[in-house]
Amino acid sequence: MKISDSGEFGFIDRIRKKLIPHGVNVIKGIGDDCAVFRSSKEQLRLLTTDMLVENVHFRLDWMNPHPMGRKSLAVNLSDIAAMGGRPSAALISLGVPAETDLDFLDSFYDGLKSMASEFDVSLAGGDTVRSPHGLVICVAVDGEVSESEILYRSGARPGDLVFLTGMVGSAAAFLDLENHNREYEWQAELRKYHLDPRPHIKEGRIIAESKLASAMIDVSDGVAADLGHICRESNVGAVVESEKIPTDPALLEYCHQFDLDESEFALHGGEDYVLLGTVAEDKAASLESALVSAGCAFHAIGVTDMQGGIKLKSADGRITEIDSSGYDHFKRR
Ligand code: ADP
Ligand code: MG
């Protein structure tokens, strides 16, 4: 059997059974946004890594090295944010084609450094090897959070409100626009979502410190897939109201002009890097005010239930089951 038969998630399930973590200090191995270790009586350490591959995650004709440096750190910081953590240090490993210009790499590191200094992260090392086919970027980040504040994917309870800390769909719409070589007046608006996502560390900290939320994840694979992760890990289902999903006017106008369905981008697009969480209904107003008073956003988009699966309620009240399987690197589409 090949990995293209099992798919990415089938493969991860397979190794999840084999890689049962050893040692009393391991609190969470595979299955959340970060691995979690105990560092002291109250403090936990978070570890996460993400890899970006040329022509899979980025194309050099669409993206300059400076924003690539920023984004390759940002996507990892987003996983720390998803658990309510504070990032501390990063390691950067590169597979580099031999003909790569040093100026290109300098600019990539300038981008990395600018993101690192915004979030007070030390760039502490890494590894460099030759790559025969395209650039490969692998970043690992560690962070910390107290045990009383950490948020897992598995804490949602039936009846919780589902919320987002920002708008979704635009990064995927930008890729769609580029893939179809479309001319669009607000292209630059969409591009910034794809090029320069802001990790929601501030939001994650406010939510964690408030101790009001029940589960959290960052939206890397789309609202449907990532809410699917929370639902599976928490043994709940959810109903999302399409009208309530926050989207940028530039995305709505793009869909209007080219006769596309904005909820496709909003639910299945991905690379949004906002936070998706759940909160008990009677705590939602307090959480909203903690976020909004700090200049952050809180959008309630639905509610969890005991039925399992994810459903979409459209403006006319129709309820349909939606696919939460998410983007799989190996499944044939
Ligand atoms: P995210 O989208 O938040 O980065 P992933 O979907 O990439 O999370 O990963 C899901 C889980 O599977 C994580 O706990 C991750 O550490 C684990 N994982 C993914 N690939 C591997 C691998 N090759 N070996 C071990 N664990 C893996
Ligand atoms: Mg994640």
Side-chain angles (χ1 to χ4, degrees), residues 33 79 82 153 217-218 220:
D33 291 287
D79 278 322
R153 297 176 175 180
I217 189 169
D218 68 321
S220 54

Side-chain angles (χ1 to χ4, degrees), residues 113-236:
K113 269 164 46 192
S114 75
M115 180 61 63
S117 68
E118 275 172 39
F119 291 93
D120 209 12
V121 173
S122 327
L123 301 179
D127 194 20
T128 310
V129 298
R130 186 172 68 83
S131 161
H133 301 293
L135 184 61
V136 179
I137 303 160
C138 184
V139 177
V141 171
D142 96 329
E144 59 173 7
V145 63
S146 70
E147 189 166 26
S148 62
E149 293 177 357
I150 190 168
L151 282 154
Y152 295 101
R153 297 176 175 180
S154 53
R157 280 182 286 274
D160 285 355
L161 289 188
V162 179
F163 66 89
L164 284 171
T165 60
M167 293 188 281
V168 290
S170 295
F174 174 74
L175 286 184
D176 184 73
L177 186 154
E178 287 289 343
N179 280 328
H180 292 90
N181 286 314
R182 290 189 175 121
E183 289 290 325
Y184 175 55
E185 194 183 350
W186 308 109
Q187 177 162 353
E189 294 296 308
L190 297 181
R191 185 194 290 116
K192 70 173 196 292
Y193 286 92
H194 170 74
L195 223 59
D196 200 17
R198 177 179 68 83
H200 281 204
I201 292 285
K202 179 179 171 188
E203 287 82 348
R205 287 299 307 141
I206 291 168
I207 296 165
E209 272 181 333
S210 79
K211 300 184 184 172
L212 294 166
S214 51
M216 197 151 73
I217 189 169
D218 68 321
V219 185
S220 54
D221 296 338
V223 167
D226 289 315
L227 180 54
H229 288 310
I230 285 188
C231 287
R232 276 188 293 278
E233 297 290 328
S234 304
N235 285 315
V236 296

Side-chain angles (χ1 to χ4, degrees), residues 8-9 11-12 15 19 29-33 48-50 79 153 218 220-221 229:
E8 177 188 348
F9 300 115
F11 168 69
I12 292 174
I15 53 173
L19 299 185
I30 292 180
D32 217 301
D33 291 287
T48 183
T49 185
D50 260 307
D79 278 322
R153 297 176 175 180
D218 68 321
S220 54
D221 296 338
H229 288 310

